[in-house]
Amino acid sequence: MVSTEFALRIKPLDDNMVALLFLDMTLQRNLENVRRDFVANVSHELRSPLTSLSGFIETMINGDVTDDAMKLRFLKIMDEESKRMTRLIDDLLSLSRVEVYEHIIPENEVSLLATINAVRDTLVGKAEARNMQIIVRDNRLDKAKPARILGSYDELTEVFVNLVENAVKYGFEGSHIVIELTEPMPGQLQIDVINQGEGIAKQHLSRITERFYRVDKARSRQIGGTGLGLAIVKHILNRHRGSMDVASVPGESTIFTVTLPLI
Ligand code: ADP
C-alpha cells in the first residue's frame, strides 16, 4: 500500500490574504531515510577498519608481539586496513563530486576506443595476477569512424575502470574479459563488458547500483570493494546522457551494457 503524508502550512501573502499549502512530506521523509542510511553505512564502513587498526596498534604498544614474523603480519594487516579506508574516502569524494555536477554535461571530445584501450592497459596487471585476459573488440560496422562522444575523459575512464575491475574481481580465475564496442543504431555507441564468473542472481540485479549494496558483503570487502563503484558509474553515465543495463546468468557470466550518444 502506498501511503502519502501531507503537512499543512499557512503562508501570509499580504495583510488580508493567506495561502494554505499542502506539502507532500512523503518524499521529504524518504530523502531523510536515505540520508540517514547513508550516514549509518559510511560510519559503519569507516569504523570497522579503524577498530581493527586500533586493536593491532594497542597490542603492539603493549609489547605483546615479540616475534618479528608476527610483527610483519600485523603491519601488513594494518597497511591493508588503512588502504581500505583510503579507497572508501576516495570513492565517497568521487560520488559527492559526480552528484553535485550531475546536471552539467561535460563538453570535451573523448575517443571512447582510446579510453577503453587505456583502461585495459591500466588493468592488465590486475587481470594477469588472476590469470585473466582483457580483450577489446571493435565490432562497429565502420571501424574507420571515430567513436567520439562529448564528455569528460577522467569520468569515462572511471566508468570503465570500475566495470572492468569488477569483471576481474568477480570473474573466474583464468577466464577472459571481453569489452565489445558496437553501434546498435546511428548515433549510439554500445559498450559491453562481459565476464565469466559467479554472476548476479536476478533478485539483486535492480539494486546493485545503490550505494553500499553488495551481493556478498564479506566477499566484496575481502577483495577490496567499497560498494560505491556502480553508484559512481550510474551518476557519471546520467551526466553523459548514457545508460547502463546488466544481465547475468548465475554461475556463468555477466554483461554490463553501457550506451552513450555519439557526437
Ligand atoms: P564493490 O566495491 O563491492 O565491487 P560495486 O558498486 O562496484 O561495489 O558493485 C556492487 C556489487 O555488484 C558488488 O559487490 C558485486 O556483488 C556485484 N557485481 C558488480 N560487478 C559484478 C560482476 N562483474 N560479476 C558479479 N558481480 C558483480
Side-chain angles (χ1 to χ4, degrees):
M1 190 182 73
V2 179
S3 71
T4 313
E5 197 183 327
F6 287 106
L8 184 64
R9 295 258 188 287
I10 299 173
K11 186 180 170 207
L13 294 176
D14 59 32
D15 286 348
N16 304 314
M17 295 233 294
V18 291
L20 290 181
L21 303 177
F22 286 95
L23 302 176
D24 181 352
M25 299 301 287
T26 323
L27 181 68
Q28 209 118 339
R29 260 198 229 300
N30 286 347
L31 286 175
E32 182 56 28
N33 286 345
V34 169
R35 196 192 62 80
R36 204 178 309 124
D37 284 354
F38 182 64
V39 172
N41 272 322
V42 170
S43 314
H44 174 76
E45 294 292 332
L46 281 172
R47 181 172 291 158
S48 58
L50 262 180
T51 307
S52 150
L53 265 177
S54 63
F56 283 112
I57 291 171
E58 210 176 295
T59 314
M60 291 183 84
I61 288 176
N62 289 345
D64 295 338
V65 193
T66 43
D67 174 10
D68 275 352
M70 183 74 100
K71 243 184 227 166
L72 187 64
R73 226 188 87 213
F74 276 25
L75 285 169
K76 279 189 176 155
I77 299 174
M78 287 157 74
D79 183 40
E80 198 32 66
E81 295 293 13
S82 54
K83 282 186 180 139
R84 175 137 72 101
M85 282 174 33
T86 308
R87 272 196 304 271
L88 179 64
I89 289 164
D90 286 346
D91 277 358
L92 284 169
L93 288 173
S94 280
L95 188 62
S96 86
R97 196 189 60 233
V98 293
E99 273 179 348
V100 167
Y101 294 115
E102 188 165 298
H103 56 289
I104 304 168
I105 302 169
E107 289 199 335
N108 294 322
E109 281 194 11
V110 182
S111 156
L112 242 280
L113 195 54
T115 312
I116 284 168
N117 280 326
V119 168
R120 184 206 41 210
D121 294 346
T122 315
L123 293 175
V124 114
K126 275 195 181 170
E128 275 171 6
R130 304 204 61 224
N131 215 3
M132 294 166 105
Q133 266 187 49
I134 305 173
I135 300 156
V136 178
R137 279 195 202 132
D138 185 0
N139 280 347
R140 293 173 304 144
L141 286 179
D142 184 0
K143 294 187 185 38
K145 228 170 57 179
R148 276 197 318 243
I149 68 151
L150 272 190
S152 146
Y153 176 79
D154 288 345
E155 290 186 4
L156 290 165
T157 301
E158 202 166 342
V159 165
F160 292 102
V161 164
N162 269 308
L163 295 181
V164 179
E165 209 167 26
N166 278 349
V168 173
K169 284 193 305 191
Y170 301 108
F172 290 138
E173 211 161 342
S175 63
H176 291 348
I177 292 161
V178 177
I179 309 171
E180 191 172 86
L181 276 80
T182 48
E183 202 176 323
M185 61 172 84
Q188 213 177 60
L189 186 67
Q190 179 173 320
I191 306 103
D192 290 311
V193 179
I194 308 160
N195 77 317
Q196 262 68 55
E198 283 307 326
I200 305 166
K202 205 171 162 204
Q203 71 268 27
H204 298 291
L205 286 178
S206 62
R207 300 200 59 192
I208 53 168
T209 56
E210 286 175 21
R211 298 179 288 190
F212 293 115
Y213 191 84
R214 288 170 280 198
V215 175
D216 181 343
K217 214 163 192 162
R219 171 127 193 275
S220 153
R221 274 227 193 105
Q222 186 213 334
I223 53 184
T226 61
L228 293 175
L230 293 179
I232 295 171
V233 166
K234 192 179 87 178
H235 281 286
I236 296 179
L237 289 175
N238 282 346
R239 189 157 127 77
H240 286 76
R241 298 204 172 131
S243 61
M244 181 172 75
D245 277 328
V246 53
S248 187
V249 182
E252 281 184 28
S253 60
T254 304
I255 307 181
F256 279 87
T257 300
V258 169
T259 313
L260 285 159
L262 282 161
I263 288 177

mmCIF file of all heavy atoms in Angstrom, residues 166-167 169-170 195 199-200 208 213-216 220 225-231 254 256, ligand 1:
data_model
loop_
_atom_site.group_PDB
_atom_site.id
_atom_site.type_symbol
_atom_site.label_atom_id
_atom_site.label_comp_id
_atom_site.label_asym_id
_atom_site.label_seq_id
_atom_site.Cartn_x
_atom_site.Cartn_y
_atom_site.Cartn_z
ATOM 1 N N ASN A 166 35.640 -4.708 -11.733
ATOM 2 C CA ASN A 166 34.656 -5.652 -11.192
ATOM 3 C C ASN A 166 34.700 -6.972 -11.952
ATOM 4 O O ASN A 166 34.610 -8.051 -11.355
ATOM 5 C CB ASN A 166 33.234 -5.081 -11.294
ATOM 6 C CG ASN A 166 32.910 -4.135 -10.152
ATOM 7 O OD1 ASN A 166 33.646 -4.059 -9.181
ATOM 8 N ND2 ASN A 166 31.823 -3.400 -10.286
ATOM 9 N N ALA A 167 34.824 -6.873 -13.286
ATOM 10 C CA ALA A 167 34.876 -8.095 -14.098
ATOM 11 C C ALA A 167 36.081 -8.950 -13.675
ATOM 12 O O ALA A 167 35.992 -10.183 -13.624
ATOM 13 C CB ALA A 167 34.957 -7.738 -15.578
ATOM 14 N N LYS A 169 37.576 -8.751 -10.585
ATOM 15 C CA LYS A 169 37.373 -9.176 -9.184
ATOM 16 C C LYS A 169 36.393 -10.339 -9.079
ATOM 17 O O LYS A 169 36.590 -11.267 -8.317
ATOM 18 C CB LYS A 169 36.806 -8.011 -8.355
ATOM 19 C CG LYS A 169 37.808 -6.958 -7.989
ATOM 20 C CD LYS A 169 37.282 -5.994 -6.925
ATOM 21 C CE LYS A 169 35.997 -5.322 -7.270
ATOM 22 N NZ LYS A 169 35.613 -4.209 -6.387
ATOM 23 N N TYR A 170 35.282 -10.239 -9.849
ATOM 24 C CA TYR A 170 34.221 -11.233 -9.691
ATOM 25 C C TYR A 170 34.233 -12.307 -10.777
ATOM 26 O O TYR A 170 33.326 -13.132 -10.847
ATOM 27 C CB TYR A 170 32.853 -10.527 -9.653
ATOM 28 C CG TYR A 170 32.770 -9.526 -8.516
ATOM 29 C CD1 TYR A 170 32.787 -8.155 -8.769
ATOM 30 C CD2 TYR A 170 32.733 -9.955 -7.195
ATOM 31 C CE1 TYR A 170 32.747 -7.235 -7.726
ATOM 32 C CE2 TYR A 170 32.690 -9.043 -6.152
ATOM 33 C CZ TYR A 170 32.700 -7.684 -6.421
ATOM 34 O OH TYR A 170 32.664 -6.790 -5.385
ATOM 35 N N ASN A 195 32.010 -10.806 -18.602
ATOM 36 C CA ASN A 195 32.948 -11.693 -17.905
ATOM 37 C C ASN A 195 32.299 -13.032 -17.539
ATOM 38 O O ASN A 195 31.078 -13.140 -17.446
ATOM 39 C CB ASN A 195 33.534 -11.021 -16.657
ATOM 40 C CG ASN A 195 32.569 -11.001 -15.506
ATOM 41 O OD1 ASN A 195 31.412 -10.719 -15.664
ATOM 42 N ND2 ASN A 195 33.067 -11.320 -14.323
ATOM 43 N N GLY A 199 28.475 -14.519 -11.319
ATOM 44 C CA GLY A 199 27.288 -13.805 -11.774
ATOM 45 C C GLY A 199 26.483 -13.197 -10.641
ATOM 46 O O GLY A 199 26.898 -13.206 -9.472
ATOM 47 N N ILE A 200 25.315 -12.677 -10.993
ATOM 48 C CA ILE A 200 24.474 -11.973 -10.017
ATOM 49 C C ILE A 200 23.062 -12.545 -10.126
ATOM 50 O O ILE A 200 22.473 -12.554 -11.205
ATOM 51 C CB ILE A 200 24.435 -10.460 -10.337
ATOM 52 C CG1 ILE A 200 25.867 -9.887 -10.417
ATOM 53 C CG2 ILE A 200 23.606 -9.696 -9.317
ATOM 54 C CD1 ILE A 200 25.939 -8.512 -11.040
ATOM 55 N N ILE A 208 22.005 -3.318 -7.568
ATOM 56 C CA ILE A 208 23.471 -3.228 -7.451
ATOM 57 C C ILE A 208 24.066 -1.846 -7.689
ATOM 58 O O ILE A 208 25.220 -1.628 -7.379
ATOM 59 C CB ILE A 208 24.207 -4.267 -8.335
ATOM 60 C CG1 ILE A 208 23.712 -4.146 -9.756
ATOM 61 C CG2 ILE A 208 24.098 -5.673 -7.791
ATOM 62 C CD1 ILE A 208 24.567 -4.922 -10.720
ATOM 63 N N TYR A 213 25.355 -1.234 -1.784
ATOM 64 C CA TYR A 213 24.688 -2.525 -1.977
ATOM 65 C C TYR A 213 25.693 -3.527 -2.555
ATOM 66 O O TYR A 213 26.330 -3.270 -3.579
ATOM 67 C CB TYR A 213 23.502 -2.393 -2.936
ATOM 68 C CG TYR A 213 22.657 -3.655 -2.936
ATOM 69 C CD1 TYR A 213 21.676 -3.847 -1.971
ATOM 70 C CD2 TYR A 213 22.881 -4.663 -3.861
ATOM 71 C CE1 TYR A 213 20.920 -5.009 -1.939
ATOM 72 C CE2 TYR A 213 22.130 -5.830 -3.839
ATOM 73 C CZ TYR A 213 21.156 -5.995 -2.876
ATOM 74 O OH TYR A 213 20.432 -7.158 -2.849
ATOM 75 N N ARG A 214 25.872 -4.639 -1.880
ATOM 76 C CA ARG A 214 26.780 -5.679 -2.363
ATOM 77 C C ARG A 214 26.091 -7.018 -2.233
ATOM 78 O O ARG A 214 25.424 -7.269 -1.236
ATOM 79 C CB ARG A 214 28.067 -5.674 -1.539
ATOM 80 C CG ARG A 214 28.909 -4.458 -1.861
ATOM 81 C CD ARG A 214 30.052 -4.279 -0.931
ATOM 82 N NE ARG A 214 29.635 -3.667 0.311
ATOM 83 C CZ ARG A 214 30.466 -3.085 1.150
ATOM 84 N NH1 ARG A 214 31.745 -3.046 0.894
ATOM 85 N NH2 ARG A 214 30.036 -2.554 2.258
ATOM 86 N N VAL A 215 26.264 -7.859 -3.257
ATOM 87 C CA VAL A 215 25.588 -9.155 -3.230
ATOM 88 C C VAL A 215 26.145 -9.986 -2.077
ATOM 89 O O VAL A 215 25.405 -10.572 -1.298
ATOM 90 C CB VAL A 215 25.769 -9.885 -4.581
ATOM 91 C CG1 VAL A 215 25.170 -11.284 -4.516
ATOM 92 C CG2 VAL A 215 25.139 -9.068 -5.704
ATOM 93 N N ASP A 216 27.450 -10.006 -1.956
ATOM 94 C CA ASP A 216 28.091 -10.759 -0.877
ATOM 95 C C ASP A 216 29.062 -9.798 -0.191
ATOM 96 O O ASP A 216 30.182 -9.590 -0.650
ATOM 97 C CB ASP A 216 28.830 -11.969 -1.486
ATOM 98 C CG ASP A 216 29.505 -12.823 -0.437
ATOM 99 O OD1 ASP A 216 29.687 -12.341 0.699
ATOM 100 O OD2 ASP A 216 29.859 -13.969 -0.756
ATOM 101 N N SER A 220 33.005 -9.064 -1.076
ATOM 102 C CA SER A 220 33.374 -7.787 -1.691
ATOM 103 C C SER A 220 34.439 -7.082 -0.843
ATOM 104 O O SER A 220 35.420 -6.552 -1.350
ATOM 105 C CB SER A 220 32.139 -6.911 -1.846
ATOM 106 O OG SER A 220 32.493 -5.560 -1.828
ATOM 107 N N GLY A 225 36.450 -4.252 -2.191
ATOM 108 C CA GLY A 225 35.349 -3.426 -2.704
ATOM 109 C C GLY A 225 34.822 -2.466 -1.658
ATOM 110 O O GLY A 225 34.919 -2.719 -0.460
ATOM 111 N N THR A 226 34.262 -1.348 -2.123
ATOM 112 C CA THR A 226 33.653 -0.386 -1.193
ATOM 113 C C THR A 226 32.132 -0.401 -1.320
ATOM 114 O O THR A 226 31.433 0.163 -0.485
ATOM 115 C CB THR A 226 34.114 1.057 -1.504
ATOM 116 O OG1 THR A 226 33.698 1.390 -2.836
ATOM 117 C CG2 THR A 226 35.615 1.197 -1.382
ATOM 118 N N GLY A 227 31.614 -0.972 -2.406
ATOM 119 C CA GLY A 227 30.163 -0.959 -2.620
ATOM 120 C C GLY A 227 29.674 0.351 -3.223
ATOM 121 O O GLY A 227 28.473 0.597 -3.301
ATOM 122 N N LEU A 228 30.619 1.199 -3.645
ATOM 123 C CA LEU A 228 30.215 2.500 -4.198
ATOM 124 C C LEU A 228 30.467 2.608 -5.699
ATOM 125 O O LEU A 228 29.978 3.521 -6.370
ATOM 126 C CB LEU A 228 30.977 3.627 -3.484
ATOM 127 C CG LEU A 228 30.625 3.828 -2.012
ATOM 128 C CD1 LEU A 228 31.524 4.887 -1.395
ATOM 129 C CD2 LEU A 228 29.166 4.239 -1.858
ATOM 130 N N GLY A 229 31.256 1.661 -6.246
ATOM 131 C CA GLY A 229 31.692 1.757 -7.648
ATOM 132 C C GLY A 229 30.555 1.938 -8.641
ATOM 133 O O GLY A 229 30.557 2.873 -9.452
ATOM 134 N N LEU A 230 29.539 1.080 -8.562
ATOM 135 C CA LEU A 230 28.464 1.144 -9.551
ATOM 136 C C LEU A 230 27.558 2.360 -9.338
ATOM 137 O O LEU A 230 26.968 2.869 -10.291
ATOM 138 C CB LEU A 230 27.639 -0.149 -9.555
ATOM 139 C CG LEU A 230 28.396 -1.396 -10.052
ATOM 140 C CD1 LEU A 230 27.487 -2.618 -9.994
ATOM 141 C CD2 LEU A 230 28.905 -1.197 -11.477
ATOM 142 N N ALA A 231 27.475 2.843 -8.087
ATOM 143 C CA ALA A 231 26.702 4.076 -7.844
ATOM 144 C C ALA A 231 27.405 5.241 -8.542
ATOM 145 O O ALA A 231 26.760 6.085 -9.173
ATOM 146 C CB ALA A 231 26.583 4.335 -6.344
ATOM 147 N N THR A 254 28.330 -12.515 -16.763
ATOM 148 C CA THR A 254 27.649 -11.241 -16.510
ATOM 149 C C THR A 254 28.005 -10.271 -17.633
ATOM 150 O O THR A 254 29.157 -10.237 -18.066
ATOM 151 C CB THR A 254 28.094 -10.654 -15.145
ATOM 152 O OG1 THR A 254 27.841 -11.632 -14.133
ATOM 153 C CG2 THR A 254 27.343 -9.379 -14.803
ATOM 154 N N PHE A 256 27.677 -6.182 -18.500
ATOM 155 C CA PHE A 256 27.274 -4.805 -18.230
ATOM 156 C C PHE A 256 27.256 -4.078 -19.568
ATOM 157 O O PHE A 256 28.267 -4.073 -20.276
ATOM 158 C CB PHE A 256 28.254 -4.132 -17.275
ATOM 159 C CG PHE A 256 27.997 -4.482 -15.836
ATOM 160 C CD1 PHE A 256 28.559 -5.620 -15.270
ATOM 161 C CD2 PHE A 256 27.174 -3.689 -15.051
ATOM 162 C CE1 PHE A 256 28.303 -5.967 -13.948
ATOM 163 C CE2 PHE A 256 26.917 -4.027 -13.727
ATOM 164 C CZ PHE A 256 27.476 -5.160 -13.174
HETATM 165 P P1 ADP B 1 32.154 -3.291 -4.925
HETATM 166 O O1 ADP B 1 33.105 -2.249 -4.487
HETATM 167 O O2 ADP B 1 31.601 -4.122 -3.820
HETATM 168 O O3 ADP B 1 32.665 -4.106 -6.073
HETATM 169 P P2 ADP B 1 30.251 -2.111 -6.804
HETATM 170 O O4 ADP B 1 29.314 -0.977 -6.590
HETATM 171 O O5 ADP B 1 31.308 -1.941 -7.849
HETATM 172 O O6 ADP B 1 30.861 -2.439 -5.396
HETATM 173 O O7 ADP B 1 29.405 -3.407 -7.165
HETATM 174 C C1 ADP B 1 28.284 -3.741 -6.342
HETATM 175 C C2 ADP B 1 28.111 -5.250 -6.261
HETATM 176 O O8 ADP B 1 27.687 -5.767 -7.541
HETATM 177 C C3 ADP B 1 29.392 -5.993 -5.926
HETATM 178 O O9 ADP B 1 29.605 -6.061 -4.543
HETATM 179 C C4 ADP B 1 29.099 -7.375 -6.514
HETATM 180 O O10 ADP B 1 28.309 -8.126 -5.604
HETATM 181 C C5 ADP B 1 28.222 -7.063 -7.727
HETATM 182 N N1 ADP B 1 28.992 -7.065 -9.005
HETATM 183 C C6 ADP B 1 29.468 -5.998 -9.670
HETATM 184 N N2 ADP B 1 30.067 -6.374 -10.825
HETATM 185 C C7 ADP B 1 29.971 -7.725 -10.893
HETATM 186 C C8 ADP B 1 30.380 -8.722 -11.844
HETATM 187 N N3 ADP B 1 31.028 -8.412 -12.982
HETATM 188 N N4 ADP B 1 30.084 -10.022 -11.572
HETATM 189 C C9 ADP B 1 29.420 -10.366 -10.449
HETATM 190 N N5 ADP B 1 29.011 -9.478 -9.506
HETATM 191 C C10 ADP B 1 29.277 -8.172 -9.723
#
